[in-house]
Amino acid sequence: MPSVTRPAGSRRQNRREELERRLFAATEELVAEGDGFTELSVERLAAAAGISRSTFYVHFEDKGDLVRRLATTVLAELREVSATWWATADPAGLTAAITAIVEVYRRRAAAFTIITETAAYDPTVAAEVRTLMQSIINATREAIERGQAAGVMRRVRPAETAALLTWMVERAGYQLVRTTDPAQDENVVEALTDIIRATLYTATP
């Protein structure tokens, strides 16, 4: 019986993904412990992840490249946990979606610190974050249009409302979740849910 082997390209991709996960985890841990990302050298990041400096540069152009990929990973998590609400525009699923978003901001607090602080001085990271956030805004706009077509949402301006709500949630996650006591998360979820529900679902004459 012939042996079944995994294609070399698949193995390389798996190794690359595992290395990224290790570097992301090591970087987030160092920042969570109080280190500033700007001051962290590639040598220290690589050592914390258990790899060599040369291996780091095989997979990443520089620290900015690391942050761009980290941003892609973290914001993909936000998209994933919002997917059900985006697909249905069902008000019954809003609380669950907001709860899941807040949980991502809580669990990946150090990652959001790294991304936001790096974007302030690195134009390439800032551009990547804008692109990723725009994809979330677009998905929210489509959900609003879907809800309006189904007659369950108010006739708000979809594009502008999607942008405002998306950035509101982003700021709430960054300012009210990332740096506060986890006991407050439930209050943040309740407040965000109330605001979004009132904006989108409250009927007007």
Side-chain angles (χ1 to χ4, degrees), residues 41-93:
S41 65
V42 168
E43 288 82 357
R44 189 171 178 197
L45 291 174
I51 63 173
S52 67
R53 183 176 183 274
S54 60
T55 299
F56 176 96
Y57 282 112
V58 167
H59 296 278
F60 298 92
E61 296 175 10
D62 50 26
K63 286 172 57 181
D65 188 25
L66 172 65
V67 178
R68 289 192 295 275
R69 294 200 215 168
L70 178 61
T72 299
T73 299
V74 173
L75 293 180
E77 286 191 47
L78 292 179
R79 290 202 57 159
E80 182 178 350
V81 300
S82 303
T84 299
W85 180 77
W86 278 332
T88 63
D90 183 355

Side-chain angles (χ1 to χ4, degrees), residues 82-103:
S82 303
T84 299
W85 180 77
W86 278 332
T88 63
D90 183 355
L94 183 58
T95 298
I98 297 300
T99 299
I101 289 170
V102 167
E103 287 173 351

Side-chain angles (χ1 to χ4, degrees), residues 8 23 50 56 100 108 127 132 148-149 160 162 185 192:
L23 270 166
F56 176 96
R108 305 300 297 272
L132 294 167
Q148 290 175 337
E160 291 80 3
D185 288 358
L192 286 173

Side-chain angles (χ1 to χ4, degrees), residues 102 105-106 108-114 116-117 172-181 185:
V102 167
Y105 274 98
R106 174 64 61 190
R108 305 300 297 272
F112 285 106
T113 297
I114 294 164
T116 301
E117 293 183 358
Y174 189 74
Q175 298 290 351
L176 299 180
V177 175
R178 183 182 59 95
T179 59
T180 59
D181 191 313
D185 288 358

Side-chain angles (χ1 to χ4, degrees), residues 3-202:
S3 62
V4 179
T5 58
R6 183 175 297 172
S10 177
R11 290 196 298 271
R12 283 194 297 271
Q13 180 64 24
N14 288 342
R15 285 198 299 270
R16 178 189 179 93
E17 290 174 356
E18 174 59 24
L19 185 142
E20 282 191 356
R21 284 192 291 270
R22 285 164 57 189
L23 270 166
F24 293 162
T27 303
E28 289 176 58
E29 183 176 354
L30 288 170
V31 171
E33 291 173 351
D35 289 293
F37 180 73
T38 305
E39 287 71 41
L40 288 172
S41 65
V42 168
E43 288 82 357
R44 189 171 178 197
L45 291 174
I51 63 173
S52 67
R53 183 176 183 274
S54 60
T55 299
F56 176 96
Y57 282 112
V58 167
H59 296 278
F60 298 92
E61 296 175 10
D62 50 26
K63 286 172 57 181
D65 188 25
L66 172 65
V67 178
R68 289 192 295 275
R69 294 200 215 168
L70 178 61
T72 299
T73 299
V74 173
L75 293 180
E77 286 191 47
L78 292 179
R79 290 202 57 159
E80 182 178 350
V81 300
S82 303
T84 299
W85 180 77
W86 278 332
T88 63
D90 183 355
L94 183 58
T95 298
I98 297 300
T99 299
I101 289 170
V102 167
E103 287 173 351
V104 173
Y105 274 98
R106 174 64 61 190
R107 179 166 44 81
R108 305 300 297 272
F112 285 106
T113 297
I114 294 164
I115 294 163
T116 301
E117 293 183 358
T118 306
Y121 64 83
D122 187 324
T124 61
V125 172
E128 182 70 13
V129 171
R130 284 195 300 271
T131 298
L132 294 167
M133 288 299 295
Q134 188 60 50
S135 72
I136 293 176
I137 291 168
N138 292 342
T140 303
R141 173 184 54 77
E142 291 167 3
I144 293 171
E145 292 171 343
R146 192 174 297 113
Q148 290 175 337
V152 298
M153 285 190 185
R154 296 173 55 220
R155 305 306 299 177
V156 297
R157 295 180 181 274
E160 291 80 3
T161 303
L164 289 167
L165 292 179
T166 298
W167 285 112
M168 176 189 70
V169 173
E170 187 276 339
R171 286 292 84 189
Y174 189 74
Q175 298 290 351
L176 299 180
V177 175
R178 183 182 59 95
T179 59
T180 59
D181 191 313
Q184 299 299 314
D185 288 358
E186 185 176 347
N187 295 336
V188 174
V189 168
E190 182 179 349
L192 286 173
T193 302
D194 285 347
I195 292 169
I196 295 172
R197 182 178 288 118
T199 300
L200 298 180
Y201 295 101
T202 301

